[in-house]
Each structure stands twice: as C-alpha cells, then as structure tokens.
Amino acid sequence: MQDKNPIIKLYGAKGCHKTRFYKEFLEARGLPFSFLDVIENENYAEELRSLYESGKLNFPTITIGTKKLRNPRTDELNKWINKLIPSILEIQHDKENHQFVLDINGEKAKVEYQLKNDKMYLVHSEVPVQLRGRGIGKVLVEKTFEKLTEEGYKAVAVCSYVRAVASRSDKWKSIIEH
C-alpha cells in the first residue's frame, strides 16, 4: 500500500535545530523522505525558493506531494500526514458496532459488517465526503481485509466497492468471497 504515497521532502539545513526536529519526527514515524540541505546545495536552495512567491529561503519547509508546510506545528504536520498518507494509520475493529474504522483526524472511514455462520458479510463501506478522491477507500478496505484475516475470519463482499477492491488482487481470494 506504500506505492502510491506522495513524496515527502524536508528542506532545511544540517545545523538547524528545527530541521533536526523534523528529521527525527519523520524518521520516528517510519516515513520515507528526502532531506534537501539548502545551505550545502544551491540546487536545493533554488528549488525551495521556487516554492515561495517571495523567492526567500524559508526553511525548514516540508512538502508532502503538492502540500507545502513552512515550519509546521507538530499537530498540523500530523494532521496532513494522516490525511495524505492514510496507509500509515491503524485500523480499529469496533466489534460492538460491527465495523472496521479508520480514524483520519477525527473523521471516520468505515466498513460495516454482519456476522452469520462465522463469516463476516461486508455490507457497506463509507469514506467521509471531504476525504474522498484520495485513495482512502482502497486503503480502508485493504486494511479491513488484513485485520479480519489476522483475527481469523472469512468474509463475503456484499458491498460493491468492497467486492471491486477484492477482485483486483489474488491476495484476497482465499478469504473474501464475492
């Protein structure tokens, strides 16, 4: 699921304490990123200047795909990482409400199911409107498949979207019926 993640770049300087903080932050999250030292490499400096109308060397700056964050607070950086790279999030199995939930900054994407004869019938999937079009649905469904497999369930894809995701990969044939 990591293959479609946006590219992360950290523009900064080796000697800058804020740059070091962001480097450690991204490494701790296990996120692949490029560190571009704008003091030691003029090409990186020019690339950074081109991101700003002023043409100034505003660092540290982090880009996640096309999203540009200039010296972001930790909560803001986390918010954008969660929104733009949902594959790093943990899926939760809410057994009481018969659903698998991916919490993206308080917004809940979910796959609902019904249990019958020791099988999960995956009946509905939903991604909040404001998060659609970012591949979150596919991540949600694949993480659901992984979690139910981990928990020892077999499933039947009733929801058309869940069925479509299941049919795109032989990986799920042994646990997901169509």
Side-chain angles (χ1 to χ4, degrees):
M1 279 187 274
Q2 296 286 352
D3 57 356
K4 296 249 178 178
N5 284 344
I7 294 170
I8 301 173
K9 294 180 181 180
L10 169 58
Y11 296 90
K14 190 170 33 186
C16 170
H17 75 280
K18 287 183 178 180
T19 299
R20 280 195 306 273
F21 169 80
Y22 292 124
K23 242 178 133 174
E24 290 169 8
F25 177 91
L26 294 168
E27 288 168 353
R29 298 280 312 255
L31 294 169
F33 68 97
S34 298
F35 171 58
L36 308 172
D37 192 317
V38 298
I39 301 300
E40 292 189 2
N41 186 311
E42 186 55 38
N43 291 331
Y44 296 155
E46 283 307 309
E47 191 175 317
L48 176 59
R49 284 186 186 101
S50 74
L51 295 176
Y52 293 97
E53 283 185 29
S54 67
K56 290 185 179 178
L57 202 57
N58 293 321
F59 69 87
T61 291
I62 299 171
T63 59
I64 306 170
T66 59
K67 181 65 183 171
K68 174 181 65 182
L69 301 164
R70 163 96 168 72
N71 195 20
R73 293 182 328 270
T74 304
D75 61 334
E76 181 185 9
L77 180 55
N78 267 321
K79 177 187 90 167
W80 283 104
I81 288 170
N82 291 344
K83 189 179 263 192
L84 298 171
I85 312 173
S87 61
I88 67 168
L89 298 173
E90 289 283 323
I91 193 153
Q92 301 302 314
H93 185 179
D94 178 356
K95 292 180 181 180
E96 187 177 314
N97 293 306
H98 300 272
Q99 61 188 4
F100 291 91
V101 179
L102 201 57
D103 185 325
I104 305 162
N105 304 320
E107 298 286 341
K108 309 264 192 256
K110 62 187 175 184
V111 172
E112 298 172 345
Y113 66 87
Q114 297 170 354
L115 271 179
K116 293 182 195 168
N117 304 325
D118 293 329
K119 279 190 186 175
M120 280 188 180
Y121 288 78
L122 306 173
V123 296
H124 179 71
S125 62
E126 182 177 330
V127 173
V129 174
Q130 58 275 23
L131 296 176
R132 291 181 187 165
R134 297 188 172 135
I136 292 170
K138 181 179 182 223
V139 169
L140 166 70
V141 171
E142 289 184 347
K143 283 186 173 284
T144 295
F145 293 166
E146 290 168 2
K147 188 73 165 174
L148 66 88
T149 301
E150 178 184 303
E151 294 178 1
Y153 290 100
K154 299 266 185 190
V156 177
V158 178
C159 167
S160 61
Y161 184 73
V162 172
R163 201 168 40 250
V165 172
S167 69
R168 290 185 199 131
S169 174
D170 289 341
K171 180 178 180 180
W172 310 115
K173 281 189 178 181
S174 65
I175 59 155
I176 308 295
E177 296 175 21
H178 300 200

